[in-house]
mmCIF file of all heavy atoms in Angstrom:
data_model
loop_
_atom_site.group_PDB
_atom_site.id
_atom_site.type_symbol
_atom_site.label_atom_id
_atom_site.label_comp_id
_atom_site.label_asym_id
_atom_site.label_seq_id
_atom_site.Cartn_x
_atom_site.Cartn_y
_atom_site.Cartn_z
ATOM 1 N N PRO A 28 1.337 5.351 7.348
ATOM 2 C CA PRO A 28 0.149 5.911 6.698
ATOM 3 C C PRO A 28 -0.806 4.801 6.241
ATOM 4 O O PRO A 28 -0.372 3.835 5.612
ATOM 5 C CB PRO A 28 0.714 6.662 5.479
ATOM 6 C CG PRO A 28 2.102 6.173 5.287
ATOM 7 C CD PRO A 28 2.509 5.332 6.458
ATOM 8 N N THR A 29 -2.091 4.942 6.564
ATOM 9 C CA THR A 29 -3.092 3.937 6.148
ATOM 10 C C THR A 29 -4.415 4.626 5.798
ATOM 11 O O THR A 29 -4.613 5.802 6.094
ATOM 12 C CB THR A 29 -3.411 2.919 7.273
ATOM 13 O OG1 THR A 29 -4.290 3.544 8.234
ATOM 14 C CG2 THR A 29 -2.171 2.429 7.979
ATOM 15 N N MET A 30 -5.315 3.813 5.222
ATOM 16 C CA MET A 30 -6.686 4.290 5.006
ATOM 17 C C MET A 30 -7.624 3.673 6.049
ATOM 18 O O MET A 30 -8.846 3.747 5.906
ATOM 19 C CB MET A 30 -7.148 3.949 3.596
ATOM 20 C CG MET A 30 -6.294 4.653 2.539
ATOM 21 S SD MET A 30 -7.117 4.875 0.971
ATOM 22 C CE MET A 30 -7.470 3.199 0.522
ATOM 23 N N GLY A 31 -7.048 3.059 7.087
ATOM 24 C CA GLY A 31 -7.880 2.554 8.174
ATOM 25 C C GLY A 31 -8.521 1.211 7.862
ATOM 26 O O GLY A 31 -8.118 0.510 6.939
ATOM 27 N N HIS A 34 -6.132 -4.166 9.824
ATOM 28 C CA HIS A 34 -6.049 -5.620 10.004
ATOM 29 C C HIS A 34 -4.592 -5.956 10.319
ATOM 30 O O HIS A 34 -3.755 -5.057 10.462
ATOM 31 C CB HIS A 34 -6.548 -6.324 8.741
ATOM 32 C CG HIS A 34 -5.952 -5.792 7.477
ATOM 33 N ND1 HIS A 34 -4.627 -5.957 7.158
ATOM 34 C CD2 HIS A 34 -6.486 -5.057 6.457
ATOM 35 C CE1 HIS A 34 -4.375 -5.385 5.992
ATOM 36 N NE2 HIS A 34 -5.474 -4.820 5.551
ATOM 37 N N GLY A 36 -2.215 -6.958 8.540
ATOM 38 C CA GLY A 36 -1.234 -6.425 7.582
ATOM 39 C C GLY A 36 -0.742 -5.068 8.052
ATOM 40 O O GLY A 36 0.467 -4.796 8.126
ATOM 41 N N HIS A 37 -1.698 -4.193 8.413
ATOM 42 C CA HIS A 37 -1.324 -2.900 8.988
ATOM 43 C C HIS A 37 -0.585 -3.124 10.315
ATOM 44 O O HIS A 37 0.338 -2.386 10.659
ATOM 45 C CB HIS A 37 -2.560 -2.045 9.266
ATOM 46 C CG HIS A 37 -3.411 -1.761 8.059
ATOM 47 N ND1 HIS A 37 -4.654 -2.316 7.884
ATOM 48 C CD2 HIS A 37 -3.200 -0.966 6.982
ATOM 49 C CE1 HIS A 37 -5.180 -1.882 6.754
ATOM 50 N NE2 HIS A 37 -4.321 -1.063 6.184
ATOM 51 N N LEU A 40 3.070 -3.418 10.047
ATOM 52 C CA LEU A 40 3.724 -2.120 9.837
ATOM 53 C C LEU A 40 3.859 -1.372 11.171
ATOM 54 O O LEU A 40 4.914 -0.809 11.487
ATOM 55 C CB LEU A 40 2.908 -1.254 8.863
ATOM 56 C CG LEU A 40 3.178 -1.393 7.362
ATOM 57 C CD1 LEU A 40 2.880 -2.791 6.855
ATOM 58 C CD2 LEU A 40 2.394 -0.372 6.557
ATOM 59 N N TYR A 71 -15.798 2.625 0.798
ATOM 60 C CA TYR A 71 -14.598 2.118 1.473
ATOM 61 C C TYR A 71 -14.885 1.964 2.973
ATOM 62 O O TYR A 71 -15.403 2.879 3.615
ATOM 63 C CB TYR A 71 -13.408 3.055 1.237
ATOM 64 C CG TYR A 71 -12.099 2.355 1.527
ATOM 65 C CD1 TYR A 71 -11.470 1.592 0.561
ATOM 66 C CD2 TYR A 71 -11.518 2.424 2.795
ATOM 67 C CE1 TYR A 71 -10.292 0.906 0.839
ATOM 68 C CE2 TYR A 71 -10.340 1.748 3.081
ATOM 69 C CZ TYR A 71 -9.735 0.996 2.093
ATOM 70 O OH TYR A 71 -8.573 0.314 2.373
ATOM 71 N N PHE A 145 5.749 1.042 4.750
ATOM 72 C CA PHE A 145 4.803 0.723 3.686
ATOM 73 C C PHE A 145 4.832 -0.784 3.435
ATOM 74 O O PHE A 145 5.888 -1.423 3.545
ATOM 75 C CB PHE A 145 5.177 1.462 2.394
ATOM 76 C CG PHE A 145 4.998 2.952 2.487
ATOM 77 C CD1 PHE A 145 6.013 3.749 3.018
ATOM 78 C CD2 PHE A 145 3.819 3.559 2.075
ATOM 79 C CE1 PHE A 145 5.853 5.129 3.119
ATOM 80 C CE2 PHE A 145 3.649 4.938 2.184
ATOM 81 C CZ PHE A 145 4.660 5.726 2.706
ATOM 82 N N GLY A 146 3.682 -1.350 3.049
ATOM 83 C CA GLY A 146 3.594 -2.789 2.828
ATOM 84 C C GLY A 146 4.033 -3.188 1.428
ATOM 85 O O GLY A 146 3.755 -2.484 0.455
ATOM 86 N N LYS A 148 2.705 -5.461 -0.038
ATOM 87 C CA LYS A 148 1.472 -5.851 -0.738
ATOM 88 C C LYS A 148 1.186 -4.855 -1.862
ATOM 89 O O LYS A 148 0.788 -5.237 -2.946
ATOM 90 C CB LYS A 148 0.302 -5.885 0.232
ATOM 91 C CG LYS A 148 -1.010 -5.932 -0.491
ATOM 92 C CD LYS A 148 -2.108 -6.501 0.319
ATOM 93 C CE LYS A 148 -3.375 -6.492 -0.487
ATOM 94 N NZ LYS A 148 -3.925 -5.127 -0.609
ATOM 95 N N ASP A 149 1.388 -3.558 -1.584
ATOM 96 C CA ASP A 149 1.228 -2.525 -2.606
ATOM 97 C C ASP A 149 2.617 -2.218 -3.163
ATOM 98 O O ASP A 149 3.180 -1.145 -2.913
ATOM 99 C CB ASP A 149 0.584 -1.282 -1.984
ATOM 100 C CG ASP A 149 -0.802 -1.595 -1.449
ATOM 101 O OD1 ASP A 149 -0.912 -2.019 -0.281
ATOM 102 O OD2 ASP A 149 -1.769 -1.452 -2.190
ATOM 103 N N GLN A 152 3.246 0.887 -5.295
ATOM 104 C CA GLN A 152 3.212 2.075 -4.427
ATOM 105 C C GLN A 152 4.534 2.231 -3.685
ATOM 106 O O GLN A 152 5.099 3.330 -3.623
ATOM 107 C CB GLN A 152 2.065 1.930 -3.436
ATOM 108 C CG GLN A 152 2.075 2.948 -2.309
ATOM 109 C CD GLN A 152 0.845 2.835 -1.438
ATOM 110 O OE1 GLN A 152 -0.204 3.330 -1.797
ATOM 111 N NE2 GLN A 152 0.970 2.176 -0.296
ATOM 112 N N PRO A 173 7.025 -7.099 4.623
ATOM 113 C CA PRO A 173 6.472 -8.218 3.836
ATOM 114 C C PRO A 173 4.952 -8.362 3.946
ATOM 115 O O PRO A 173 4.346 -7.949 4.938
ATOM 116 C CB PRO A 173 7.172 -9.448 4.419
ATOM 117 C CG PRO A 173 8.421 -8.925 5.040
ATOM 118 C CD PRO A 173 8.098 -7.538 5.524
ATOM 119 N N ILE A 174 4.379 -8.996 2.930
ATOM 120 C CA ILE A 174 2.916 -9.199 2.868
ATOM 121 C C ILE A 174 2.449 -10.135 3.992
ATOM 122 O O ILE A 174 3.035 -11.193 4.194
ATOM 123 C CB ILE A 174 2.515 -9.828 1.506
ATOM 124 C CG1 ILE A 174 2.935 -8.930 0.348
ATOM 125 C CG2 ILE A 174 1.013 -10.122 1.470
ATOM 126 C CD1 ILE A 174 2.661 -9.528 -1.033
ATOM 127 N N VAL A 175 1.399 -9.722 4.674
ATOM 128 C CA VAL A 175 0.768 -10.581 5.687
ATOM 129 C C VAL A 175 -0.437 -11.259 5.032
ATOM 130 O O VAL A 175 -1.265 -10.586 4.398
ATOM 131 C CB VAL A 175 0.324 -9.758 6.920
ATOM 132 C CG1 VAL A 175 -0.420 -10.636 7.926
ATOM 133 C CG2 VAL A 175 1.538 -9.104 7.574
ATOM 134 N N ARG A 183 -3.980 -10.141 3.291
ATOM 135 C CA ARG A 183 -4.927 -9.358 4.092
ATOM 136 C C ARG A 183 -5.184 -8.023 3.406
ATOM 137 O O ARG A 183 -4.257 -7.383 2.908
ATOM 138 C CB ARG A 183 -4.363 -9.090 5.500
ATOM 139 C CG ARG A 183 -4.015 -10.305 6.323
ATOM 140 C CD ARG A 183 -5.201 -11.000 6.956
ATOM 141 N NE ARG A 183 -6.254 -10.162 7.451
ATOM 142 C CZ ARG A 183 -6.678 -10.127 8.717
ATOM 143 N NH1 ARG A 183 -6.084 -10.849 9.629
ATOM 144 N NH2 ARG A 183 -7.692 -9.384 9.069
HETATM 145 P P1 AMP B 301 -4.131 0.782 3.037
HETATM 146 O O1 AMP B 301 -4.835 1.099 4.305
HETATM 147 O O2 AMP B 301 -4.754 -0.344 2.272
HETATM 148 O O3 AMP B 301 -3.862 2.006 2.211
HETATM 149 O O4 AMP B 301 -2.723 0.230 3.455
HETATM 150 C C1 AMP B 301 -1.856 0.969 4.283
HETATM 151 C C2 AMP B 301 -0.514 0.316 4.315
HETATM 152 O O5 AMP B 301 -0.630 -1.004 4.808
HETATM 153 C C3 AMP B 301 0.122 0.211 2.918
HETATM 154 O O6 AMP B 301 1.509 0.498 3.014
HETATM 155 C C4 AMP B 301 -0.123 -1.214 2.555
HETATM 156 O O7 AMP B 301 0.822 -1.736 1.638
HETATM 157 C C5 AMP B 301 -0.012 -1.895 3.910
HETATM 158 N N1 AMP B 301 -0.708 -3.184 3.869
HETATM 159 C C6 AMP B 301 -2.018 -3.405 3.572
HETATM 160 N N2 AMP B 301 -2.287 -4.714 3.573
HETATM 161 C C7 AMP B 301 -1.129 -5.351 3.867
HETATM 162 C C8 AMP B 301 -0.750 -6.721 4.008
HETATM 163 N N3 AMP B 301 -1.615 -7.716 3.831
HETATM 164 N N4 AMP B 301 0.543 -6.989 4.316
HETATM 165 C C9 AMP B 301 1.453 -5.990 4.494
HETATM 166 N N5 AMP B 301 1.152 -4.683 4.370
HETATM 167 C C10 AMP B 301 -0.115 -4.361 4.063
#
Side-chain angles (χ1 to χ4, degrees):
T29 77
M30 297 204 300
H34 49 68
H37 301 110
L40 272 62
Y71 198 86
F145 292 85
K148 165 157 180 286
D149 298 88
Q152 169 175 280
I174 301 176
V175 176
R183 302 282 322 239

